[in-house]
Amino acid sequence: MTSHKLDTFLEKNLTELKENGLYNEIDTLEGPNGSEITINGQTLINMSSNNYLGFANDTRLKEKANAATDKFGVGAGAVRTINGTQSIHDELEAKIADFKQTEAAVAFQSGFNCNMGAISAVMNKKDAILSDELNHASIIDGCRLSGAKVIRVKHQDMDDLRAKAKETIESGQYEKVMYITDGVFSMDGDVANLPDIVKIAEEFDLITYVDDAHGSGVMGKGAGTVKHYGLQDKIDFQMGTLSKAVGVVGGYVAGTQNLIDWLKVRARPFLFSTSLTPGAAAACIEAIDIMSASTEEHDRLWENGHYLKEGLNKLGFNIGNSETPITPCIIGDEKLTQLFSKRLTEEGVYAKSIVFPTVPKSTGRVRNMPSAAHTKEQLDQVLATYKKVGNELNVI
């Protein structure tokens, strides 16, 4: 017999979420995640994927993954520190370091694992972390796990960052102080002001940590937000995922050789989780090779992003202040946002609603993620659907 208290807790809270428009239905794809997807037999134009460059179903990546699986097996068979490090993993890490222009890199099983492992491997209860208030949940959890004092900094507010850095350093209470920020903020599409951040960090000797999950493959001709600003030698931690623009799975941290050596002996997800599959590692290598050889996919992504933004703006939607292809349509009310997303799906466009707690209450939005794989015809159909549903629900 299951716990009565647990059943009561779950029933009450699930009902409350559904009544407030905060319950997220999970949809199941019946094929690959591309510019079009199939759900319950319905073909939909996909505007909700992080697959920025269209690599998730790219033939070139699949061929490399299959070849590596044939050579190395379907799994690594152990954690990296025992005998789960295969030559394909070393090759991937060397490739990442070269792409990010750092001395070394370490691959993790996910971007979430990167933040959980890397932050807590360096920061502890004797330290303090200054964290942008809109940082990703994995950063928040990684900071909590470290035990360090966490000080929230107003979003993209350099005056607040400088004041809190000064106060924290001059207090003399902490051995080390880190500032951590997303490179690209995934809900609004704005880009971290890394030049000013670096100036403040140098003034107060802050450790700098950039989570570039949504910047890798997108900013800096693909090499990321740090490369976009030319600050590769100024940022201590360059973290990113291998599951968004790279199109596969996993995450990485790039930095000095000493940093990577330390993470390989102290980052708990690296120490206690089985390695990336050989097929995944090989596919990631191929994606990085493609990005290194040409900016074709990167340029097409930005072209599509600009096209969609211009169209939605002309229709009268509130698309915020995005500086990247990420294009939110901010609606506000959670229930209306959920209904808007549902109507889009019924009309053939898949754009998921994002509501509290992912974003603050009353800032619900439908987030659009154009990719290099979308055609102009698909984007025109998206815009026509937005116009129809927007007028129907009095959003525009």
Side-chain angles (χ1 to χ4, degrees), residues 251-300:
Y252 62 85
V253 175
T256 64
Q257 187 66 59
N258 279 346
L259 173 63
I260 302 310
D261 288 346
W262 179 254
L263 294 181
K264 285 185 173 182
V265 296
R266 281 296 182 268
R268 293 172 71 82
F270 180 87
L271 295 170
F272 299 111
S273 293
T274 298
S275 320
L276 284 172
T277 66
C284 291
I285 291 169
E286 178 66 9
I288 296 171
D289 282 342
I290 293 169
M291 288 190 286
S292 300
S294 169
T295 63
E296 179 184 347
E297 288 84 1
H298 168 274
D299 295 343
R300 194 161 60 246

Side-chain angles (χ1 to χ4, degrees), residues 188-209:
D188 295 296
D190 54 326
V191 180
N193 183 359
L194 293 187
D196 283 355
I197 288 168
V198 165
K199 290 177 184 176
I200 295 168
E202 289 181 336
E203 181 179 356
F204 296 102
D205 194 21
L206 307 180
I207 299 167
T208 50
Y209 188 118

Side-chain angles (χ1 to χ4, degrees), residues 152-164:
R152 285 161 60 94
V153 176
K154 293 177 183 177
H155 179 56
Q156 297 269 46
D157 188 328
M158 295 300 102
D159 290 336
D160 192 48
L161 171 58
R162 191 181 188 286
K164 287 176 177 171

Side-chain angles (χ1 to χ4, degrees), residues 296-360:
E296 179 184 347
E297 288 84 1
H298 168 274
D299 295 343
R300 194 161 60 246
L301 163 67
W302 278 89
E303 181 182 340
N304 285 344
H306 289 312
Y307 188 82
L308 182 67
K309 272 189 171 64
E310 183 179 353
L312 289 171
N313 192 48
K314 284 182 178 178
L315 288 173
F317 285 96
N318 176 7
I319 60 171
N321 300 304
S322 174
E323 304 169 73
T324 64
I326 296 170
T327 307
C329 282
I330 303 169
I331 294 170
D333 179 78
E334 283 78 14
K335 288 186 177 180
L336 180 58
T337 303
Q338 298 271 25
L339 177 60
F340 190 92
S341 175
K342 181 181 179 183
R343 285 292 296 121
L344 289 176
T345 299
E346 291 170 350
E347 295 292 333
V349 174
Y350 189 83
K352 287 284 281 187
S353 59
I354 298 178
V355 296
F356 180 83
T358 306
V359 295

Side-chain angles (χ1 to χ4, degrees), residues 24-68:
N24 182 39
E25 298 282 353
I26 297 176
D27 300 309
T28 300
L29 276 62
E30 295 161 6
N33 197 329
S35 62
E36 290 187 342
I37 53 176
T38 302
I39 298 173
N40 295 326
Q42 181 185 10
T43 300
L44 303 162
I45 299 175
N46 179 19
M47 300 304 298
S48 285
S49 172
N50 296 321
N51 183 26
Y52 289 112
L53 301 180
F55 285 159
N57 193 41
D58 190 289
T59 300
R60 296 166 292 183
L61 272 67
K62 291 193 289 187
E63 288 175 351
K64 295 294 184 179
N66 290 336

